[in-house]
Amino acid sequence: MSDCCSAPGLLPFEQALADMLAQVTPISDVISLPIDQALSYVLGQDIHSPLNVPPHNNSAMDGYAFEIKSFLTSGTLTLVGCSMAGAPYQGECKLGECVRIMTGAKIPNNCDSVEMQENVHVDQQKITFLKEKITKGSHVRNTGEDIQKHQKVLSKGHRLSTIDIGILASLGVAEVRVYRPLNIALIATGNELKLPGQVLTDGDIFASNSFFLAAILKKFNVNVIDFGVINDDFQAIKKAFVAADKQADAVISTGGVSVGDADYTKDVLDELGDIGFWKVAIKPGKPFAFGLLPNSLFFGLPGNPVSALVTFHQLALIALTKLQNAEPINRTVLKVITTTELRKSTGRMDFQRGVLSLNEQGENVVTSTGSQSSGILSSLAVANCYIILPADQGKVSAGEIVTVQVFDDYIR
Ligand code: AMP
Ligand code: MG
């Protein structure tokens, strides 16, 4: 680990991320799941299309199918049959003839074009075109125009989206191989913490960290093992960590990673595993512990809710993505004008909270959510992006261009 030159003793964010990822070995167990249960799972196989989609030329409109030569020869064609979706026309359609056709129905042999029913005049079996020009191939959806047979459609490591589930169904794929869900233990530490539903006594607060972490992890499709709140007590913390390590692929704790009098987490972890206590050069979130327990990865997040969320989202989640074998999360980054001044001192990279919007000129602009104190969870609730300010950046004036990272689905 090398130190950041501008902030002695602090590990630059990129370095922390790289050091952490270097210690993560992805899981290898795959399971089979029916596609309707596979949303958000990570594919453990490449998916190649077993067929052309669509499997046959078909009509994009309700109308009449014919060969373009027929149209070029005569403005009126003779109706010889009908092609319905699922009940194709089986006969011939010769020069001068046409077939009534419905959307999605197979284009009859010899036919290559379709005219919409709104653009013809029907007189019993005589169909007269109202338009003077029709191009060959009009309103025909071609075999394989969506997906070609044998084409690679989805890659191993891809996290299945709602659309992907539809694509798998369109290929006739009923089951997929995916990586098994991770088991992740959550441990909140602090004598002052009470769970919602309990009664607060003097000096207490409600524990919120494990709740939003569990909510994010659910979207990430993992099994959460919640150890609740553990008191600041060496033996109690040790017992929880030992039990968590036995059951989980990763253990995430919050609180107790700074060096306060009641911070026993460090002593316990020094005894149990190979854990690095990092001061990452980011704000919020300076104290962050990461390393290996006997059976699992360990992430020690700071207790302040905003710091816990930012370090989880920007560091731990990236490592868990690798552990899950998933392709890296793709986050949208934009350069926009800040409408507000942004307070900032040099030395740490800031993840300030902002609201991205369009101004009257139709330009993207970002506005600070106000106080950036790491205890103010509501600042994250109203935000829709991080304003990312590099370590060497000082104060930013209104009107300057800044980099924002739009909140991804995990924290929206
Ligand atoms: P610590 O890192 O344990 O010193 O905690 C830093 C701050 O975060 C303190 O104000 C704690 O009360 C608060 N805190 C710690 N854990 C939680 C939690 N699970 N939910 C909400 N606040 C917490
Ligand atoms: Mg504490």
Side-chain angles (χ1 to χ4, degrees):
M1 283 179 218
S2 69
D3 287 342
C4 173
C5 8
S6 58
L10 296 189
L11 189 63
F13 174 74
E14 292 76 12
Q15 178 91 51
L17 198 57
D19 287 358
M20 197 179 57
L21 288 175
Q23 294 190 56
V24 177
T25 309
I27 57 162
S28 54
D29 321 342
V30 282
I31 55 173
S32 272
L33 282 182
I35 58 167
D36 59 357
Q37 290 170 32
L39 180 65
S40 299
Y41 277 89
V42 178
L43 269 180
Q45 63 172 130
D46 288 337
I47 302 287
H48 292 271
S49 178
L51 42 77
N52 285 308
V53 181
H56 46 256
N57 288 356
N58 69 94
S59 180
M61 291 288 170
D62 293 338
Y64 296 86
F66 51 90
E67 190 186 357
I68 197 71
K69 229 190 283 171
S70 298
F71 169 78
L72 297 173
T73 316
S74 161
T76 299
L77 304 181
T78 306
L79 185 62
V80 293
C82 182
S83 184
M84 308 285 284
Y89 173 67
Q90 304 289 1
E92 271 186 280
C93 181
K94 298 196 283 268
L95 198 67
E97 296 177 343
C98 67
V99 169
R100 175 93 173 107
I101 194 161
M102 298 301 156
T103 303
K106 192 174 172 195
I107 303 285
N109 294 339
N110 303 336
C111 295
D112 55 23
S113 308
V114 169
E115 180 56 300
M116 300 161 64
Q117 62 191 21
E118 292 84 344
N119 292 338
V120 301
H121 175 75
V122 182
D123 180 10
Q124 295 186 350
Q125 302 310 106
K126 293 290 161 202
I127 308 298
T128 304
F129 295 105
L130 302 180
K131 285 206 298 191
E132 285 183 1
K133 191 170 179 293
I134 296 175
T135 31
K136 184 177 171 182
S138 286
H139 307 307
V140 174
R141 302 191 287 215
N142 291 310
T143 303
E145 78 173 25
D146 184 357
I147 296 166
Q148 301 243 310
K149 189 170 179 176
H150 304 312
Q151 182 187 328
K152 193 207 265 190
V153 183
L154 296 168
S155 298
K156 186 170 169 169
H158 178 70
R159 189 183 300 282
L160 292 170
S161 71
T162 49
I163 311 281
D164 297 331
I165 302 297
I167 290 190
L168 289 168
S170 77
L171 302 180
V173 173
E175 287 211 340
V176 280
R177 308 276 291 159
V178 295
Y179 289 101
R180 69 159 171 88
L182 297 179
N183 300 308
I184 298 189
L186 294 180
I187 301 175
T189 67
N191 288 340
E192 75 283 26
L193 302 177
K194 288 276 155 50
L195 292 172
Q198 293 181 325
V199 176
L200 288 189
T201 47
D202 196 25
D204 290 347
I205 61 164
F206 285 119
S208 55
N209 291 343
S210 299
F211 287 85
F212 64 70
L213 291 175
I216 299 172
L217 287 166
K218 269 182 203 145
K219 293 195 183 182
F220 209 62
N221 227 346
V222 308
N223 298 324
V224 172
I225 311 161
D226 193 349
F227 280 76
V229 172
I230 308 294
N231 279 341
D232 294 312
D233 169 86
F234 184 89
Q235 289 306 334
I237 294 177
K238 184 171 170 184
K239 204 173 142 209
F241 279 119
V242 169
D245 176 53
K246 285 205 178 110
Q247 300 173 48
D249 299 295
V251 177
I252 301 175
S253 73
T254 63
V257 284
S258 40
V259 282
D261 292 342
D263 293 335
Y264 295 106
T265 320
K266 183 173 185 328
D267 302 338
V268 171
L269 291 165
D270 278 345
E271 217 182 282
L272 294 184
D274 182 11
I275 310 295
F277 284 80
W278 299 355
K279 286 191 166 35
V280 185
I282 59 172
K283 193 178 171 201
K286 189 167 65 175
F288 176 79
F290 172 74
L292 306 176
L293 289 171
N295 304 302
S296 61
L297 289 179
F298 174 76
F299 303 92
L301 311 180
N304 275 312
V306 177
S307 309
L309 188 127
V310 171
T311 50
F312 175 75
H313 190 230
Q314 296 291 336
L315 291 164
L317 200 55
I318 309 300
L320 294 177
T321 300
K322 180 171 177 193
L323 186 64
Q324 263 190 329
N325 258 298
E327 65 204 354
I329 301 173
N330 191 2
R331 290 175 173 155
T332 307
V333 174
L334 304 170
K335 294 259 187 206
V336 302
I337 300 163
T338 173
T339 63
T340 39
E341 179 186 286
L342 304 170
R343 293 171 62 183
K344 165 88 167 60
S345 37
T346 58
R348 291 204 261 164
M349 182 176 178
D350 271 21
F351 290 88
Q352 301 198 7
R353 275 72 71 203
V355 179
L356 185 67
S357 63
L358 280 186
N359 67 11
E360 281 174 4
Q361 289 76 49
E363 301 160 324
N364 276 321
V365 293
V366 70
T367 305
S368 170
T369 56
S371 170
Q372 296 294 315
S373 159
S374 56
I376 303 184
L377 193 56
S378 56
S379 71
L380 270 161
V382 296
N384 60 12
C385 67
Y386 294 112
I387 305 169
I388 301 183
L389 303 174
D392 58 5
Q393 168 86 54
K395 184 189 88 141
V396 181
S397 306
E400 286 189 52
I401 304 272
V402 290
T403 300
V404 301
Q405 185 190 80
V406 180
F407 282 179
D408 61 26
D409 288 346
Y410 297 116
I411 58 169
R412 264 199 295 248

